[in-house]
Amino acid sequence: MSEISETASGGVVWQSSPPGSLYDHIRVASFSIGPDGLVEQWSRRAVDLFGVTAEEARGKDPVEVFVPADLRERGHRRVREILDGKEWTGLVPFRTPGGERPHGMAEMYVMPTETETGERAALCIVVDVRALRRIETDLAASQAIFGQSPFGFLLFDTDLTVRRANRRFATVFGGDADDHRGRTVHDYLGRAEAERMTTALRKVLETGESVTDLRIVGAAPGARDRRHWSINLYRVHSGSGRPIGVAGLGIDVTRRHNAAREAASARRNLALLNQAGARIGNSLDLEATARELLDVAVPGFCDLASVDLYQGLLTGDEAPPGRWGSSHDVGYGAGSAELRRVAFASAVSGTPRGTGGGHAPDPDRPGTAPIEVGAVHRYPFNSPYAGALRTGRIRTVQGDDGDLARHTLVVPMSAHDTVVGLAQFSRAKGSEPFGERDRALAAELAARAAVCIDNARLYRREHERALILQRSLLPPGDPEAAGLDIACRYLPGTDATEVGGDWFDVIELPGHRTALVIGDVMGRGLRAAVAMGELRTAVRTLAQLDLEPAEVLSHLDEIARGLGAPIGTQQSRAHKNRGPELAEVYLATCVYAVYDPVTRRCTFANAGHLPPVLVAPGEEALLLDVPPGMPLGVGGEPFEEVEVEIPEGALLALYTDGLVESRDHPLDEGLSAFRRALTDPSRPLEDVCDRVLGSLNTGHGEDDIALLLARIQGLPAEAVGDWRLPREPRSVGRARELARAQLAAWDLDPLVDTVELLVSELVTNALRYGEGEIRLRLLRDRTLVCEVWDAGLVQPRRRRAKDTDEGGRGLQLVGLLSSSWGSRRTPRGKTVWFELALPEGGEAAEPTVEQLLSMF
């Protein structure tokens, strides 16, 4: 079949209709009846419909052949009426030849005709009723689906214009359904979304691949709110399979989108909170905690963020940074104190690194430069930033068109009603503004960080105090001693406190002797450090009495047990409701050694500590056989002494158990490794210390570590003058002569007069109040020491002489002219000594007249 179309010039063009036209679906058949009522012509469609060939049908009576027997009489009457010139349309049941039952139902249209001779004939057009009913059903279903659908429905032509729209679509976009014919997607959507839709339509039309759940965002005419649609597209074909357009079904999923966004926001917030709990506060450092907060917030929560902390907080000010309440505001300058920008983060490209990048400039001072990280600044009193600090409430700041931050939440960082700083979370242009859920999340993130920062502040304060205590209890710098080269190390058991109960000390004793002490209070932390300080102070006090090592430990044991005595009456009353309590029980181990550089002998006493290690030149390190004794604080057992002569150049090592014992290896292995690390005592002591700490497992963090190394360097014989004097008056003069000669040999002439005077006083006192033989000894090292020995047990006592007394001023003179003086007991008597500083290129200072007169 052909179609007629009209050209632009008005001409008529005949063309064939495309396959799949309506006639192909209806399949119209035709045949003609002659004046005799018999079939003359039989079309090919009639062959298909009735199943009878043209040869079989021509010349036959159609009523007799196709109509059932019970309807033939009516059929013949209808044929006669038609041949008489009457048109007729109706439904006629038919059967195939040879069948008795009707095969189908045909809708027949009979038109009278005339032959060339003027006789009456008829033309019959027949349609199978089943095909018509099928088409009607399809049309009704199509109309129901298209017209009654609750979703927007569009049918696009092959040129992507709207061929048909349903009523639901017209309800949303206005007008009647017919008004939308000929429009394109650009009439409904913005440019970007329209191009996406056009691309999808073209792809579906060309490839035949359907598109499902294409998300399109736009706004209905006259509406401001953005809507979200889910679009499904599929290609539509004719009956012959030819593409004739694209059908589009649009579903408004705005509510679903909002619900999904809320659910995603809630999941994101929960994830951020979980992440914040895991990542914020891992370090006790203020700046690091602020950076951890921003690492969580950017870009998961916002595009830009910064943290300002009070400057007083960072400098260790004891006053709280700021407090807020319902009735009045209290803080550093009521919210306008100095703050420091400690952290900044940005997910916006082009932001200057290390600066605020235009983030949150002061709105009260337009044109102000961004606040750089590390800069100290103030917020004006009337600014929202200062207001947030004063009130402790979140403020929202809207940025200008030129700002990177379009929406900013200004969140005070409060911990225990204490404001420690200010956090700012911003979203740039194009991001969704903050909602109430976002405000709550920002407050939670800031609060968590604030608690961690406040904890870090408190930790730092306590840590600094503990360090001051710890450092004050250890020898300052590198200790010095006569005849000894000393090096030491102290490592805390944990970085969290850096304080513990291990200690060592180097104490100068009279006669250029030195006390070497190392100890370990059981336990760790601040309590152990306090106990260590008490015991160390006691050791120094006892050392000044110049007691024997075993006596020192016995007194220390009594002191340690006294520290663990029950709480006194006053404290018991304060705690009467809780019953009797005991104070902290102190148990400690200690080694106390006294080294004499003249004899190169060292006397040891041990209270439950690990034995010292001695490395003689050319020999392996060995553990000294010093009786261990009981720890301090146990009581009931005496302490023993061991005297060891140490060769020149030998290395003596005192240490605590944290150096040689840990969970990773037993004590025996640690001691063996320690001894191997000391095999080369000739190296510089600092290198030996580093080698020991480097080769042993000192990073286990289980216990404190103290190490004290001393290389033996005895006083040479030429630095010692030692004489014995008979108990007779002329020994005083002899002592002066010996001292004068020895000082001259040492080139210490500036000290001759002072030494002669003081030696004369001490020898005279030994003759008057002492017993037995007198011994005079001069020692020259970093200072000059003079000692006078005798067998008497009565200790000299300095007193102030009366104006009428003829004597009693000798010891006053000794105390006035010497750097220090004293006396100590010896196994066979006592020793009185004084010490003088060596002259440094000048004459020794002579006593003034006032100093001399003060004795009278």
Side-chain angles (χ1 to χ4, degrees):
M1 182 174 290
S2 300
E3 291 183 347
I4 302 176
S5 61
E6 189 173 337
T7 63
S9 60
V12 177
V13 177
W14 290 84
Q15 61 182 14
S16 299
S17 62
S21 66
L22 180 62
Y23 299 102
D24 292 333
H25 292 281
I26 297 178
R27 302 187 67 81
V28 179
S30 65
F31 61 93
S32 63
I33 300 176
D36 54 2
L38 302 179
V39 176
E40 290 186 345
Q41 294 181 341
W42 192 259
S43 69
R44 293 182 180 178
R45 288 285 179 88
V47 175
D48 296 334
L49 177 61
F50 296 106
V52 177
T53 63
E55 291 77 9
E56 295 173 340
R58 280 195 295 266
K60 300 291 181 64
D61 184 348
V63 176
E64 296 294 331
V65 175
F66 301 107
V67 178
D70 56 340
L71 298 177
R72 289 175 184 172
E73 182 179 354
R74 183 185 303 177
H76 285 297
R77 187 169 59 248
R78 292 293 183 191
V79 172
R80 287 193 297 268
E81 292 176 353
I82 293 170
L83 293 178
D84 288 339
K86 184 178 179 181
E87 292 186 0
W88 180 80
T89 301
L91 296 177
V92 178
F94 67 90
R95 64 177 180 81
T96 56
E100 294 297 331
R101 298 176 60 85
H103 177 71
M105 183 71 70
E107 184 172 323
M108 186 175 295
Y109 176 45
V110 183
M111 298 175 292
T113 61
E114 290 184 359
T115 63
E116 294 179 356
T117 61
E119 293 179 300
R120 299 287 179 92
L123 175 64
C124 300
I125 298 177
V126 185
V127 178
D128 191 343
V129 173
R130 291 174 301 179
L132 290 177
R133 296 293 179 267
R134 190 164 50 247
I135 293 174
E136 290 176 353
T137 302
D138 291 345
L139 289 175
S142 176
Q143 181 62 31
I145 294 175
F146 195 85
Q148 302 174 21
S149 172
F151 310 117
F153 210 113
L154 287 177
L155 181 61
F156 293 92
D157 210 336
T158 54
D159 59 356
L160 304 185
T161 60
V162 176
R163 176 184 291 183
R164 188 176 178 186
N166 72 343
R167 186 180 305 168
R168 175 59 182 168
F169 183 86
T171 301
V172 176
F173 286 93
D176 295 330
D178 293 338
D179 297 338
H180 296 277
R181 291 181 178 176
R183 295 184 181 180
T184 66
V185 293
H186 289 273
D187 297 318
Y188 307 105
L189 302 174
R191 179 178 179 181
E193 294 292 80
E195 290 179 354
R196 287 182 59 225
M197 183 75 172
T198 301
T199 302
L201 287 169
R202 185 173 292 111
K203 180 179 179 181
V204 171
L205 187 61
E206 292 175 354
T207 65
E209 296 179 1
S210 301
V211 172
T212 58
D213 199 20
L214 174 64
R215 294 301 177 96
I216 296 296
V217 181
R224 293 184 178 181
D225 56 329
R226 292 156 59 92
R227 310 299 294 177
H228 295 261
W229 291 287
S230 173
I231 307 297
N232 298 305
L233 302 175
Y234 58 92
R235 192 167 67 181
V236 180
H237 304 84
S238 66
S240 63
R242 177 178 61 88
I244 61 173
V246 177
L249 178 65
I251 304 174
D252 190 336
V253 294
T254 304
R255 291 184 179 180
R256 187 194 310 170
H257 171 79
N258 293 338
R261 185 180 61 182
E262 288 294 322
S265 177
R267 290 193 298 270
R268 180 202 64 187
N269 292 354
L270 288 175
L272 283 174
L273 289 177
N274 290 334
Q275 190 179 9
R279 298 180 60 181
I280 298 177
N282 290 326
S283 65
L284 290 172
D285 181 81
L286 301 178
E287 291 85 351
T289 302
R291 289 192 295 270
E292 290 166 355
L293 168 62
L294 301 193
D295 290 341
V296 172
V298 179
F301 176 67
C302 60
D303 301 318
L304 304 97
S306 64
V307 173
D308 298 325
L309 297 180
Y310 277 115
Q311 178 69 358
L313 182 92
L314 298 168
T315 56
D317 193 347
E318 290 295 328
R323 292 187 180 274
W324 54 271
S326 58
S327 59
H328 59 279
D329 301 325
V330 181
Y332 283 147
S336 58
E338 286 188 342
L339 298 105
R340 186 193 303 173
R341 176 66 52 86
V342 296
F344 172 78
S346 173
V348 180
S349 59
T351 304
R353 185 174 180 83
T355 71
H359 179 234
D362 183 4
D364 296 335
R365 294 180 295 173
T368 54
I371 301 172
E372 296 186 358
V373 174
V376 177
H377 62 97
R378 293 176 183 267
Y379 288 116
F381 182 84
N382 294 325
S383 67
Y385 311 101
L389 290 171
R390 286 196 305 272
T391 63
R393 297 188 179 93
I394 298 177
R395 299 292 182 91
T396 302
V397 177
Q398 299 294 334
D400 297 330
D401 293 338
D403 296 336
L404 287 176
R406 299 302 303 274
H407 308 275
T408 299
L409 291 180
V410 181
V411 187
M413 303 177 68
S414 304
H416 314 298
D417 292 344
T418 299
V419 180
V420 299
L422 194 69
Q424 299 179 49
F425 305 103
S426 300
R427 288 181 179 173
K429 183 179 180 181
S431 299
E432 293 186 3
F434 293 106
E436 287 301 320
R437 193 188 301 273
D438 295 324
R439 289 170 63 92
L441 177 61
E444 179 66 22
L445 291 176
R448 292 195 180 195
V451 170
C452 296
I453 288 174
D454 195 48
N455 290 340
R457 175 181 69 88
L458 296 175
Y459 162 76
R460 185 173 66 178
R461 184 183 66 184
E462 298 303 323
H463 182 238
E464 290 174 352
R465 292 177 178 177
L467 284 181
I468 293 173
L469 171 64
Q470 181 74 47
R471 299 300 179 257
S472 66
L473 298 178
L474 295 175
D478 296 327
E480 296 182 356
L484 293 175
D485 183 13
I486 295 176
C488 51
R489 293 288 189 276
Y490 173 79
L491 297 178
T494 169
D495 293 336
T497 58
E498 295 191 10
V499 294
D502 289 13
W503 91 93
F504 60 90
D505 210 345
V506 178
I507 307 171
E508 293 188 61
L509 300 178
H512 286 316
R513 294 171 305 132
T514 302
L516 302 176
V517 189
I518 196 161
D520 183 2
V521 177
M522 296 182 185
R524 66 178 65 183
L526 193 57
R527 288 182 177 271
V530 172
M532 175 267 284
E534 293 174 324
L535 293 178
R536 178 178 179 270
T537 301
V539 169
R540 279 193 160 266
T541 302
L542 294 171
Q544 297 305 318
L545 299 177
D546 209 356
L547 302 176
E548 297 296 327
E551 291 184 79
V552 171
L553 293 185
S554 296
H555 286 294
L556 277 180
D557 181 56
E558 293 291 334
I559 293 173
R561 284 192 292 162
L563 294 175
I567 295 178
T569 304
Q570 183 176 0
Q571 291 86 345
S572 296
R573 290 174 182 172
H575 300 81
K576 61 183 179 180
N577 295 330
R578 290 186 288 176
E581 294 185 9
L582 289 178
E584 185 75 21
V585 177
Y586 293 104
L587 292 177
T589 62
C590 180
V591 168
Y592 186 88
V594 175
Y595 170 68
D596 188 343
V598 178
T599 61
R600 290 201 307 275
R601 301 185 70 83
C602 190
T603 304
F604 297 92
N606 190 355
H609 202 81
L610 293 174
V613 174
L614 181 65
V615 187
E619 299 182 8
E620 294 184 356
L622 58 89
L623 298 175
L624 293 180
D625 187 12
V626 179
M630 298 298 292
L632 301 176
V634 175
E637 293 292 333
F639 297 98
E640 300 182 40
E641 293 181 357
V642 172
E643 188 176 61
V644 178
E645 184 173 354
I646 303 178
E648 182 78 14
L651 179 65
L652 179 64
L654 303 179
Y655 54 96
T656 56
D657 57 357
L659 181 66
V660 295
E661 185 178 21
S662 72
R663 298 175 184 175
D664 298 334
H665 56 75
L667 178 61
D668 292 342
E669 293 183 7
L671 287 174
S672 299
F674 179 48
R675 291 167 59 189
R676 288 193 299 271
L678 296 173
T679 52
D680 189 5
S682 62
R683 299 175 60 183
L685 284 188
E686 295 295 332
D687 294 346
V688 176
C689 285
D690 294 339
R691 179 179 179 182
V692 169
L693 298 181
S695 59
L696 274 68
N697 179 23
T698 58
H700 50 74
E702 298 173 11
D703 198 0
D704 308 326
I705 294 174
L707 175 64
L708 178 62
L709 299 181
R711 177 170 287 123
I712 304 303
Q713 297 173 351
L715 288 179
E718 58 271 16
V720 180
D722 195 352
W723 306 276
R724 299 182 181 274
L725 302 173
R727 190 171 187 78
E728 54 186 32
R730 62 179 182 178
S731 294
V732 177
R734 178 59 179 165
R736 288 196 298 267
E737 293 175 0
L738 293 172
R740 184 188 310 113
Q742 186 63 64
L743 293 177
W746 287 341
D747 294 327
L748 297 178
D749 295 331
L751 299 179
V752 169
D753 294 339
T754 302
V755 172
E756 279 189 313
L757 176 60
L758 300 185
V759 165
S760 177
E761 289 292 338
L762 295 185
V763 174
T764 299
N765 285 343
L767 289 173
R768 181 176 297 179
Y769 305 108
E771 299 178 5
E773 187 181 35
I774 299 172
R775 180 181 177 187
L776 172 66
R777 190 168 72 169
L778 294 179
L779 306 176
R780 181 181 185 276
D781 193 68
R782 293 178 294 116
T783 61
L784 177 67
V785 174
C786 176
E787 300 175 330
V788 176
W789 308 46
D790 68 75
L793 298 178
V794 179
Q795 295 290 326
R797 182 174 61 88
R798 182 177 178 178
R799 64 183 178 86
R800 187 171 184 83
K802 299 179 181 179
D803 295 342
T804 57
D805 290 345
E806 296 182 358
R809 297 179 178 85
L811 292 181
Q812 292 188 47
L813 188 62
V814 173
L816 176 66
L817 298 180
S818 64
S819 300
S820 59
W821 76 279
S823 66
R824 68 178 185 274
R825 282 190 246 170
T826 63
R828 298 179 181 178
K830 68 176 180 296
T831 300
V832 183
W833 58 272
F834 67 85
E835 185 175 3
L836 294 173
L838 299 180
E840 297 181 0
E843 297 292 331
E846 295 292 337
T848 64
V849 176
E850 289 76 8
Q851 289 175 325
L852 293 175
L853 290 178
S854 66
M855 294 185 298
F856 296 91

